[in-house]
C-alpha cells in the first residue's frame, strides 16, 4: 500500500478567553502568553513545531484580543505561511473549527489541528501515518498526564503500602492535537461542539482513532499560572 502523504496544512484554535490564566491574559490571548525563560509565546513554539513536521500553511482562529495576536504574527519571523480568521459571532468549538478549515488553502487534502494552549513535541508524521493506516476520518492524540498530587496505595485490608508522587492518571485524555481527513470538514456543525456531535458519530462508525503519545514525548496544556511555572521548571530540567 502506498504511504499517504502527511498533511502540510493546519488550524490553530486560539480564540478562548484564557480566564484561568489571568492576569497574564488581561492584555493578550492565551496563545500569546510567553513560556518563562524562552522569550517566545506558546503559539511561537507551536508554529516552529508544525514547520519542523512539514507544515507549510497555518490558519489561526482568533477571538479574545485577536488584534494582539495578529500584530505579533505580522511582525515575527515565521517559519511558514500564516493567515487568521475571526468569528463575527460565537460559533462554538465545532463551528469555529469548520469556519477556520474553510480558509485552508487545499480543501481536498488532510489537515492537522491543535488547541492554542498546547505545548508539545512528538512526531506528527507518525500520527498521520497511524491515521491513514486505520482509514480514520479523524484521529486525536491521547495523553496521560500526571496527577498533581501524591497518591496513596493500600492493600485489601486497608493498610497503606506505598506513597506515589504524582502518578500518571489511569485514563487517556484528549491531548488537543488532531489529524483530519479532508472530508471531516463537511461533517462539522456550522454552530456547536464537534465533540458532542461529530466525534460520537465517527466513533460509532469506527472512523475515529486515538493515537497514544509516544513514551517520553513532552506534552502540557497551559491552563493556569501553575502550568507556566511547571513548564519553565521542566524546561530547565533534563530533556524529557
Amino acid at each position: 500500500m502506498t504511504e499517504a502523504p502527511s498533511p502540510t496544512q493546519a488550524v490553530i484554535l486560539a480564540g478562548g478567553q484564557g480566564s484561568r490564566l489571568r492576569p497574564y491574559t488581561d492584555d493578550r490571548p492565551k496563545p500569546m502568553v510567553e513560556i518563562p525563560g524562552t522569550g517566545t509565546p506558546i503559539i511561537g513554539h507551536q508554529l516552529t513545531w508544525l514547520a519542523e513536521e512539514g507544515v507549510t500553511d497555518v490558519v489561526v482562529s482568533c477571538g479574545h484580543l485577536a488584534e494582539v495576536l495578529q500584530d505579533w504574527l505580522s511582525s515575527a519571523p515565521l517559519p511558514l505561511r500564516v493567515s487568521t480568521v475571526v468569528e463575527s459571532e460565537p460559533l462554538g468549538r465545532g463551528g469555529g473549527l469548520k469556519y477556520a478549515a474553510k480558509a485552508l488553502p487545499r480543501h481536498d487534502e488532510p489537515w492537522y489541528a491543535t488547541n492554542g494552549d498546547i505545548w508539545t513535541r512528538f512526531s506528527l508524521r507518525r500520527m498521520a501515518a497511524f491515521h491513514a493506516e486505520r482509514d480514520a476520518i479523524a484521529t486525536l492524540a491521547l495523553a496521560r498526564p500526571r496527577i498533581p498530587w501524591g497518591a496513596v496505595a493500600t492493600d485489601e485490608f486497608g493498610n497503606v503500602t506505598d506513597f506515589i508522587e504524582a502518578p500518571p492518571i489511569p485514563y487517556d485524555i484528549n491531548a488537543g492535537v488532531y489529524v483530519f481527513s479532508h472530508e471531516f470538514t463537511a461533517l462539522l456543525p456550522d454552530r456547536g461542539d464537534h465533540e458532542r456531535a461529530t466525534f460520537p458519530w465517527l466513533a460509532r462508525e469506527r472512523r475515529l482513532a486515538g493515537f497514544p503519545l509516544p513514551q517520553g514525548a513532552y506534552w502540557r496544556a497551559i491552563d493556569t499560572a501553575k502550568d507556566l511555572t511547571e513548564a519553565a521548571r521542566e524546561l530547565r530540567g533534563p530533556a524529557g
Side-chain angles (χ1 to χ4, degrees), residues 142-148 166-175 213 219-221:
L142 303 176
R144 190 166 287 196
R146 293 187 174 275
I147 297 170
I169 65 172
Y171 302 103
D172 292 321
I173 67 164
N174 181 347
L213 293 188
W219 179 90
R220 180 172 285 278

Side-chain angles (χ1 to χ4, degrees), residues 5 8-9 18 59 89 100 102 129 139 150 158 174:
T8 58
Q9 54 187 359
V59 175
E89 57 180 329
K102 289 179 178 179
T139 296
N174 181 347

Side-chain angles (χ1 to χ4, degrees), residues 12-16 18 20-21 30-33 35 42-43 46 114-120 175-176 219-224 227-228:
I12 296 177
L13 296 173
R20 294 172 64 197
L21 257 179
K30 187 193 286 189
M32 281 301 300
V33 173
I35 302 294
I42 299 168
I43 195 168
Q46 292 182 323
T114 181
N115 295 340
D117 59 356
I118 300 299
W119 189 29
T120 186
W219 179 90
R220 180 172 285 278
I222 308 296
D223 287 324
T224 65
D227 291 321
L228 280 177

